[in-house]
Short mmCIF file of all heavy atoms in Angstrom, two decimals:
data_model
loop_
_atom_site.label_atom_id
_atom_site.label_comp_id
_atom_site.label_asym_id
_atom_site.label_seq_id
_atom_site.Cartn_x
_atom_site.Cartn_y
_atom_site.Cartn_z
N ASP A 153 -6.39 -161.76 19.07
CA ASP A 153 -7.85 -161.64 19.21
C ASP A 153 -8.36 -160.28 18.72
O ASP A 153 -9.50 -160.16 18.29
CB ASP A 153 -8.27 -161.88 20.67
CG ASP A 153 -8.06 -163.33 21.08
OD1 ASP A 153 -7.84 -164.17 20.18
OD2 ASP A 153 -8.11 -163.62 22.29
N GLU A 154 -7.50 -159.27 18.77
CA GLU A 154 -7.87 -157.94 18.26
C GLU A 154 -7.73 -157.88 16.74
O GLU A 154 -7.99 -156.84 16.13
CB GLU A 154 -6.92 -156.89 18.86
CG GLU A 154 -7.05 -156.73 20.35
CD GLU A 154 -8.09 -155.70 20.72
OE1 GLU A 154 -7.87 -154.52 20.41
OE2 GLU A 154 -9.12 -156.11 21.28
N GLY A 155 -7.22 -158.94 16.14
CA GLY A 155 -7.10 -158.99 14.68
C GLY A 155 -5.82 -158.37 14.13
O GLY A 155 -5.69 -158.18 12.92
N GLN A 156 -4.86 -158.06 14.99
CA GLN A 156 -3.64 -157.35 14.54
C GLN A 156 -2.80 -158.17 13.55
O GLN A 156 -2.07 -157.62 12.76
CB GLN A 156 -2.76 -156.99 15.75
CG GLN A 156 -3.43 -156.11 16.78
CD GLN A 156 -3.76 -154.73 16.23
OE1 GLN A 156 -3.13 -154.24 15.29
NE2 GLN A 156 -4.78 -154.09 16.79
N LEU A 157 -2.89 -159.50 13.65
CA LEU A 157 -2.08 -160.35 12.76
C LEU A 157 -2.89 -160.84 11.56
O LEU A 157 -2.35 -161.51 10.68
CB LEU A 157 -1.51 -161.56 13.53
CG LEU A 157 -0.17 -161.36 14.24
CD1 LEU A 157 -0.17 -160.17 15.18
CD2 LEU A 157 0.22 -162.62 15.00
N GLY A 158 -4.19 -160.51 11.53
CA GLY A 158 -5.03 -161.02 10.45
C GLY A 158 -5.25 -162.51 10.60
O GLY A 158 -5.33 -163.03 11.72
N ARG A 159 -5.29 -163.21 9.47
CA ARG A 159 -5.45 -164.67 9.50
C ARG A 159 -4.06 -165.30 9.56
O ARG A 159 -3.22 -165.06 8.69
CB ARG A 159 -6.20 -165.13 8.24
CG ARG A 159 -6.38 -166.64 8.12
CD ARG A 159 -7.22 -167.01 6.90
NE ARG A 159 -6.76 -166.34 5.68
CZ ARG A 159 -5.74 -166.75 4.94
NH1 ARG A 159 -5.08 -167.84 5.25
NH2 ARG A 159 -5.38 -166.08 3.86
N ILE A 160 -3.83 -166.09 10.59
CA ILE A 160 -2.50 -166.72 10.74
C ILE A 160 -2.51 -168.02 9.93
O ILE A 160 -3.32 -168.91 10.20
CB ILE A 160 -2.18 -166.98 12.22
CG1 ILE A 160 -2.20 -165.66 12.98
CG2 ILE A 160 -0.83 -167.67 12.37
CD1 ILE A 160 -2.25 -165.80 14.48
N TYR A 161 -1.62 -168.10 8.96
CA TYR A 161 -1.64 -169.28 8.09
C TYR A 161 -0.48 -170.22 8.32
O TYR A 161 -0.48 -171.35 7.84
CB TYR A 161 -1.71 -168.86 6.61
CG TYR A 161 -0.70 -167.82 6.20
CD1 TYR A 161 0.55 -168.19 5.71
CD2 TYR A 161 -0.98 -166.46 6.33
CE1 TYR A 161 1.48 -167.24 5.35
CE2 TYR A 161 -0.05 -165.50 5.97
CZ TYR A 161 1.18 -165.89 5.49
OH TYR A 161 2.11 -164.95 5.15
N TYR A 162 0.53 -169.75 9.06
CA TYR A 162 1.68 -170.63 9.31
C TYR A 162 2.26 -170.32 10.68
O TYR A 162 2.32 -169.14 11.08
CB TYR A 162 2.74 -170.43 8.21
CG TYR A 162 3.96 -171.30 8.38
CD1 TYR A 162 3.86 -172.67 8.64
CD2 TYR A 162 5.25 -170.75 8.27
CE1 TYR A 162 4.99 -173.46 8.81
CE2 TYR A 162 6.38 -171.55 8.43
CZ TYR A 162 6.24 -172.89 8.70
OH TYR A 162 7.35 -173.68 8.86
N ALA A 163 2.65 -171.36 11.40
CA ALA A 163 3.26 -171.17 12.72
C ALA A 163 4.37 -172.19 12.91
O ALA A 163 4.32 -173.30 12.39
CB ALA A 163 2.20 -171.35 13.80
N LYS A 164 5.39 -171.75 13.66
CA LYS A 164 6.51 -172.65 13.98
C LYS A 164 6.74 -172.55 15.48
O LYS A 164 6.87 -171.44 16.00
CB LYS A 164 7.80 -172.17 13.31
CG LYS A 164 7.87 -172.39 11.85
CD LYS A 164 9.32 -172.39 11.36
CE LYS A 164 9.99 -171.03 11.42
NZ LYS A 164 11.30 -171.03 10.76
#
Side-chain angles (χ1 to χ4, degrees):
D153 291 347
E154 295 271 294
Q156 301 295 335
L157 272 54
R159 177 176 49 81
I160 300 165
Y161 50 91
Y162 181 47
K164 287 202 290 188

